[in-house]
Each structure stands twice: as C-alpha cells, then as structure tokens.
Amino acid sequence: MRDPMSLNKETIVVHDPHDERHYGAVSFPVYQNSLFTFKTHEELESALHHEVSSVIYTRGNNPTVALLEEKLTKLEGGEQARCFASGMAAISTAILSVVRSGDHIVCVDGAYGPAKKFMEQYLSKFNVQTSFVDGKIYEQIEAAVQENTRLIYLESPTSLSFELQDLRKCAALAEQIGATTIIDNTWATPMFQNPLQYGIDLVVHSMTKYISGHSDLVGGVIIGSQKHMDELFTNEFQLLGGILHPQSAAIFMRGLRTLPLRMQKHEQNGLLIASYLNTRPHIIRVNHPGLPDHPQHDLFKSQMLGSNSLLSFETDISMDRMRQWANSLQLFRKGISWGGYESLVYMKGQSDGTFVVRLYIGLEEPDDLISDMEQAFDSIGCGMK
Ligand SMILES: *Cc1c(COP(=O)(O)O)cnc(C)c1O
C-alpha cells in the first residue's frame, strides 16, 4: 500500500505544506469551530452531497483534525485515518464497523481489558459472541474460527505480557474465511510496526500513549482502506460521534513531531533496563520481545522494526515485598498509563495466583533508574550482595 516515493516517517511528522491562506503559519491553525458556512445555499447543498470529503460540521470533517489524520495515514501506510476522543472510542467504533448480530469474533486473550470487556460483555447483548485464544500459538487462532467468524481481533505485542501474533498468517487466514482483521498497534506505534503491509485490515492506536508522549491528552485513531473508512465515516463515526476535539488534535500534532526521536530513546532505554533485569537475581523472567533470548524474538524481527520501553517481569519475591519495593522507588511513579516522559510501575495479580511487575521506562537517564531499582531491592533485603 505504501507509495515507494513517499517521504520517510521523520519527515512526515515535521513537514506541513506551506499554507498561503494562513500567512504561511508554520504550525497549522486550530479550527476551533463547530460549523463552516457557505456563500450560497447551492454550495451548502453541494457540500452536503459529498459529505465524506466536505468541511461542513466538526462532527464530520475538521481541517485541524484532518491534518493529523493525514499524517497518521502516511505513517501507517494506509489510505484514510479517523481520529477519536479516546483509544476505546476508536476500538469500539472499529469493531462495530465490522460485526452485526449473529457474528462471531476471535480475539487474543492478552488484548486490552476494556476492549475484551466490550466484546465479551457488551456485544453479547447484541448476539455477537467472542472466543478468546492464546494468540502466540497461531493454531489456536485457526482452531477457534467458526462458520460465522467475521472478525479476528489482535493486539501484538500485548501490553502486559508482550506476546506477539504472526500477523502475516492471521491476515491470510482472515482473507481465506472472509473475515476482517483489526490490530491494536499501540505498543509498537507506527514507527515500529505497520500491520497494513501484511494485509491486516484496520489498525487502531490509543494515541494517549506514545503518540501524545506527554501524558496530557487522551485520543485514538483507526487507519484502513478508503472504502472501509468512508463507510465507517457515514455510519459509526458520525452516528456515535466520539470525535477528537480540534484543540487536542493540534496538541497531538506537537507530540507527533518528536515521535521518531522519542521512540529511538525509548527503544535504547527499554533494552538497557530489560537486559539489566534479565541478569539480576530474583528475576524469573523478563517479558520484552526485543531481548535476543525472548521466545518470540525471531517473529519480532520478522514483523517489527523496533521495540520500546514498556516491559514486565516475574520475580520469586512475594507481591507484598514487591509492593514495598515499588513504594521505595523514587523515580518510578505508581500509575497505569504509559507513553509519556515519566517512568511508571504497576503490579498486577494473575488468576493463577502469580503476578507481574510492569515497568514503563520514560526518558530519564537509565543509569539513574537502575540505581533507583537497586536501592529499592536493597531496602527489601534483596540486593545484589
Ligand atoms: C490505553 C490503551 C488503550 C485504550 O486507550 P484510551 O485512550 O485509554 O481509551 C487501548 N489499547 C492499549 C494497548 C492501551 O494501552
């Protein structure tokens, strides 16, 4: 899908076309208005006739939001993007644009919690059933397919245990059975994975995370083919109305300018911290697909361009003591989102009684973060010595 003559991602995020109408303003103006008016009634009627490409009302097209959508479209190598007020607005809208009553969904069990809840508990009210499968085993995805499977929902890597699905195989399977594929690509960002090139139909992102990069916005996006996105525009997009505010779009655009730079640094920091944890006593396993000894590292290399700084580990230290460890950390704040400049820690108990420690590595100097973790291990009596 990607035009071979198209610009590199680093250029796409910083280059805006020169705009005569706005005195050559270097950053695009915020069109903070609900409606757009026309000189004549005939022009209004003609715009209404071509609603999908006309600027009439901000619940449809808004020029500031449209510029952000254009950049995200290019970054993912798609044909059209639509932005939303949150990642969940994008995810629920994308799913609703595919399924109808009587359909069946195959979803990976490591997918984002609220997305799973939407399928399992909400859509079941409308007679849409979902099977959850271990996505790292392709055969389980294949085996879960039923005659009425219309959607295969992926998240690769998942955002707690960082397991991958084979995107090429999943796309081929969907094509064969006439189903649509959606992937939550939030972890990878458009910098490190472009699933449309493997035949995945729709990519969704929570822009709240790395795309914003500053922990000050909530938003989401769907990217796909012109045909699918035009239909989605006249249906779910306009009818559910969970649009992104133009002011937020402008701030997202500012975050996007440094996405390539930030992701380079996050990748370095993430690998440094993952390697440190990997060799440390009391750590049983580090979940980060960029590590050469990760069980899915070969698949990682075959479909991703890089890795980032959200990772998790399992330890033989009890959760109670790890709570003390987390409380002793001075540079990691306790919180559940990620993608900003600041490091975070979050621990989650599993149904089998085990727990994982999820770390988000921000843009601090990794040596400082390692020293902080070491002093916290010392404080609970699990130091290196
Ligand atoms: C945060 C997140 C979402 C939801 O995004 P919101 O912007 O909070 O609605 C979806 N998927 C993943 C992987 C996330 O981390």
Side-chain angles (χ1 to χ4, degrees):
M1 255 192 207
R2 205 176 151 86
D3 171 7
M5 291 298 288
S6 67
L7 297 169
N8 285 295
K9 291 171 182 172
E10 289 75 3
T11 309
I12 291 165
V13 296
V14 299
H15 181 79
D16 295 356
H18 183 82
D19 190 344
E20 290 295 346
R21 273 180 310 166
H22 302 108
Y23 312 97
V26 68
S27 61
F28 196 76
V30 182
Y31 280 89
Q32 179 148 349
N33 44 294
S34 56
L35 81 155
F36 300 83
T37 56
F38 297 82
K39 271 211 193 99
T40 65
H41 202 269
E42 286 81 355
E43 284 174 73
L44 169 59
E45 284 171 46
S46 146
L48 283 168
H49 208 72
H50 304 101
E51 210 173 355
V52 67
S53 53
S54 301
V55 176
I56 304 169
Y57 185 61
T58 286
R59 182 160 43 72
N61 288 311
N62 174 284
T64 310
V65 180
L67 183 61
L68 175 62
E69 289 168 343
E70 197 183 305
K71 286 180 187 291
L72 292 163
T73 301
K74 288 182 183 158
L75 290 178
E76 279 293 8
E79 291 174 356
Q80 177 72 54
R82 289 287 172 188
C83 285
F84 295 83
S86 69
M88 273 312 294
I91 288 169
S92 52
T93 301
I95 295 171
L96 287 171
S97 77
V98 175
V99 296
R100 60 184 61 195
S101 176
D103 286 351
H104 174 251
I105 303 173
V106 177
C107 175
V108 296
D109 59 11
Y112 183 68
K116 284 173 68 177
K117 185 173 174 185
F118 179 69
M119 290 177 250
E120 187 172 30
Q121 294 178 29
Y122 197 84
L123 287 181
S124 58
K125 294 199 292 189
F126 304 96
N127 191 28
V128 174
Q129 306 303 327
T130 305
S131 303
F132 293 96
V133 296
D134 183 343
K136 65 180 180 296
I137 307 164
Y138 167 73
E139 287 70 24
Q140 286 206 14
I141 298 179
E142 200 174 23
V145 166
Q146 302 177 5
E147 212 179 324
N148 56 342
T149 302
R150 285 292 159 268
L151 170 63
I152 300 179
Y153 187 93
L154 308 170
E155 181 178 324
S156 183
T158 54
S159 55
L160 189 65
S161 51
F162 309 100
E163 291 169 351
L164 279 64
Q165 298 105 55
D166 189 321
L167 303 189
R168 292 180 181 87
K169 282 189 185 168
C170 291
L173 172 66
E175 165 129 49
Q176 190 193 322
I177 62 170
T180 299
T181 40
I182 299 178
I183 186 170
D184 183 334
N185 201 30
T186 304
W187 191 87
T189 82
M191 296 308 298
F192 291 153
Q193 182 166 265
N194 301 122
L196 300 173
Q197 79 183 73
Y198 305 126
I200 300 292
D201 297 301
L202 297 175
V203 170
V204 295
H205 288 277
S206 167
M207 302 200 295
T208 312
K209 313 295 163 56
Y210 281 125
I211 291 178
S212 148
H214 295 76
S215 304
D216 55 1
L217 291 171
V218 176
V221 64
I222 310 175
I223 305 127
S225 70
Q226 196 69 54
K227 183 170 181 294
H228 190 103
M229 295 307 292
D230 282 355
E231 276 168 26
L232 182 147
F233 174 81
T234 46
N235 291 297
E236 294 78 19
F237 184 79
Q238 299 235 58
L239 299 180
L240 299 174
I243 60 155
L244 184 68
H245 193 279
Q247 184 77 52
S248 297
I251 311 175
F252 271 118
M253 214 110 63
R254 183 164 69 181
L256 202 60
R257 308 274 188 209
T258 56
L259 182 71
L261 270 176
R262 285 186 285 110
M263 293 314 294
Q264 256 178 40
K265 185 69 178 159
H266 283 302
E267 176 169 43
Q268 282 172 14
N269 286 6
L271 282 171
L272 271 168
I273 302 290
S275 311
Y276 149 74
L277 291 166
N278 219 12
T279 55
R280 210 200 167 283
H282 296 292
I283 308 252
I284 304 166
R285 183 161 58 183
V286 179
N287 302 313
H288 187 289
L291 285 175
D293 64 357
H294 185 275
Q296 291 183 296
H297 188 65
D298 286 343
L299 180 59
F300 161 80
K301 282 196 295 189
S302 82
Q303 63 188 27
M304 297 189 69
L305 302 164
S307 63
N308 70 31
S309 67
L310 183 74
L311 56 112
S312 68
F313 66 88
E314 288 151 57
T315 168
D316 59 14
I317 305 169
S318 73
M319 190 158 171
D320 273 349
R321 275 170 92 198
M322 284 306 286
R323 231 174 246 124
Q324 284 174 37
W325 177 82
N327 291 341
S328 307
L329 291 170
Q330 285 164 22
L331 297 177
F332 290 80
R333 302 172 74 153
K334 275 54 87 178
I336 52 163
S337 189
W338 48 279
Y341 46 83
E342 76 291 6
S343 289
L344 298 163
V345 59
Y346 163 60
M347 297 195 291
K348 189 163 194 260
Q350 310 278 69
S351 50
D352 62 1
T354 61
F355 70 101
V356 286
V357 184
R358 189 174 78 174
L359 293 179
Y360 171 67
I361 311 303
L363 295 170
E364 299 92 341
E365 168 56 42
D367 280 349
D368 293 336
L369 297 175
I370 291 174
S371 304
D372 190 27
M373 285 190 271
E374 273 312 306
Q375 69 75 24
F377 279 120
D378 283 344
S379 79
I380 58 164
C382 298
M384 288 278 202
K385 291 155 254 98

